[in-house]
Amino acid sequence: MATRQSQAERPSRQPPGEANHDPGRSQPTGRPGEGDHPHAFAPSCPFRERGAAFLDRDGVINDQTAFVNAPDDFRLLPGAAAAIRRLNEAGIPIVVVTNQGGIALGYLTKDDLAAIHERMATLLAAEGAHIDKVYYCPYYPGGTIHSPQAEGSTTHPRAEFGPRRSLAEAAPRISDRKPGIGMLERARDELDIDLAQSFLVGDATTDILAGFRAGCTTILVRTGYAGADGKVVAEPDYTVADLAEAADLILGRVIATSTTPAQPSPTPSNRESPTRP
């Protein structure tokens, strides 16, 4: 059963000016998978200013008992495909936002990641489900990834990405990495997604903080890290057992919103003072 955090437990929404946004990020080229990071896995497909379900990947869609560095490492969690299929059938866009710092650390290449995502698409399709778009951030603090390259360009040898390499190049645009909201902002801009009407489902505190900063309703699942990663302090709006329960919650909220007249926004005096979690 889903549990909702009390207002006292949840931090206030972050003011727009405090979002971890990088104005230096170049604009996408408009071609699938090309342009600057974070890379998109599927072609852009506008959703006409509606909410989406943003899903973290590891620990939410697939098992996270080990690192996923090759296609054979990718195993769907029980019930994940059926949950995504139900959201598909309801017309809710499904957008995956995933940190993939292993690329910067040399554990896998962008070609490896593309193959992993092909396997994800194949496994989901076998159960009648699909992801509308995938964004990933290949950077990691202290990683040695080279300057941004277009998807499909020549991959540097793994040896050049050693995590202990001297004079490591600082990872650029780290705001794309959750709990930064660069990937969410890009989805908003490219797909006409309304973040305020969107949900973010994750298993880590960094997922929850990213959703909070972007203005999404946040849902923590008890699979994967189950919020025990301890990287940041962030309380979710809801806590559920898994992606199946998250889908139940999202569908229930969407149905309730579509049948209930909109309520006026609270006046500033009724809101809590903005705080940074």
Side-chain angles (χ1 to χ4, degrees):
M1 178 180 294
T3 58
R4 183 169 188 174
Q5 301 294 330
S6 68
Q7 189 66 29
E9 292 175 306
R10 287 184 283 125
S12 301
R13 294 291 180 195
Q14 192 170 6
E18 292 185 21
N20 193 5
H21 176 65
D22 184 352
R25 183 154 41 93
S26 63
Q27 296 300 311
T29 64
R31 295 188 295 274
E34 293 192 359
D36 213 350
H37 295 305
H39 290 305
F41 177 67
S44 296
C45 40
F47 295 118
R48 299 183 182 178
E49 297 187 2
R50 54 177 162 167
F54 289 100
L55 308 181
D56 177 44
R57 195 194 76 181
D58 301 333
V60 175
I61 298 173
N62 60 282
D63 195 359
Q64 199 176 23
T65 56
F67 291 109
V68 180
N69 293 329
D72 288 345
D73 297 334
F74 187 93
R75 296 183 295 275
L76 288 174
L77 284 170
I84 292 171
R85 183 180 66 243
R86 288 192 292 127
L87 295 171
N88 292 151
E89 292 169 349
I92 298 171
I94 307 297
V95 181
V96 169
V97 285
T98 176
N99 289 345
Q100 292 297 321
I103 293 174
L105 298 176
Y107 298 125
L108 74 163
T109 67
K110 289 181 287 183
D111 287 342
D112 293 332
L113 185 62
I116 291 166
H117 286 161
E118 288 290 351
R119 175 171 169 79
M120 176 173 68
T122 299
L123 294 177
L124 290 174
E127 298 193 45
H130 69 271
I131 301 296
D132 291 293
K133 196 153 185 176
V134 173
Y135 291 95
Y136 69 90
C137 180
Y139 301 121
Y140 189 85
T144 58
I145 192 167
H146 289 250
S147 57
Q149 307 167 65
E151 183 82 7
S153 61
T154 302
T155 303
H156 288 275
R158 288 173 183 261
E160 293 188 87
F161 291 89
R164 294 179 178 82
R165 180 185 176 199
S166 60
L167 302 177
E169 181 176 333
R173 279 172 303 283
I174 208 68
S175 65
D176 288 337
R177 180 178 172 82
K178 294 175 293 183
I181 63 173
M183 290 186 284
L184 297 167
E185 289 180 324
R186 184 167 175 185
R188 175 199 65 197
D189 297 341
E190 293 183 357
L191 308 179
D192 291 330
I193 295 295
D194 184 345
L195 294 178
Q197 295 185 52
S198 297
F199 301 82
L200 188 142
V201 183
D203 67 313
T205 57
T206 47
D207 300 322
I208 300 307
L209 183 54
F212 167 81
R213 287 173 166 173
C216 303
T217 297
T218 57
I219 305 174
L220 177 72
V221 292
R222 296 194 187 96
T223 50
Y225 285 120
D229 55 295
K231 292 181 179 178
V232 298
V233 177
E235 293 291 343
D237 292 304
Y238 297 91
T239 299
V240 299
D242 52 20
L243 185 54
E245 273 199 18
D248 290 340
L249 176 61
I250 292 169
L251 292 170
R253 286 285 303 273
V254 169
I255 292 171
T257 301
S258 65
T259 58
T260 303
Q263 298 297 317
S265 299
T267 61
S269 61
N270 291 333
R271 295 175 179 159
E272 292 182 75
S273 299
T275 58
R276 182 183 297 274

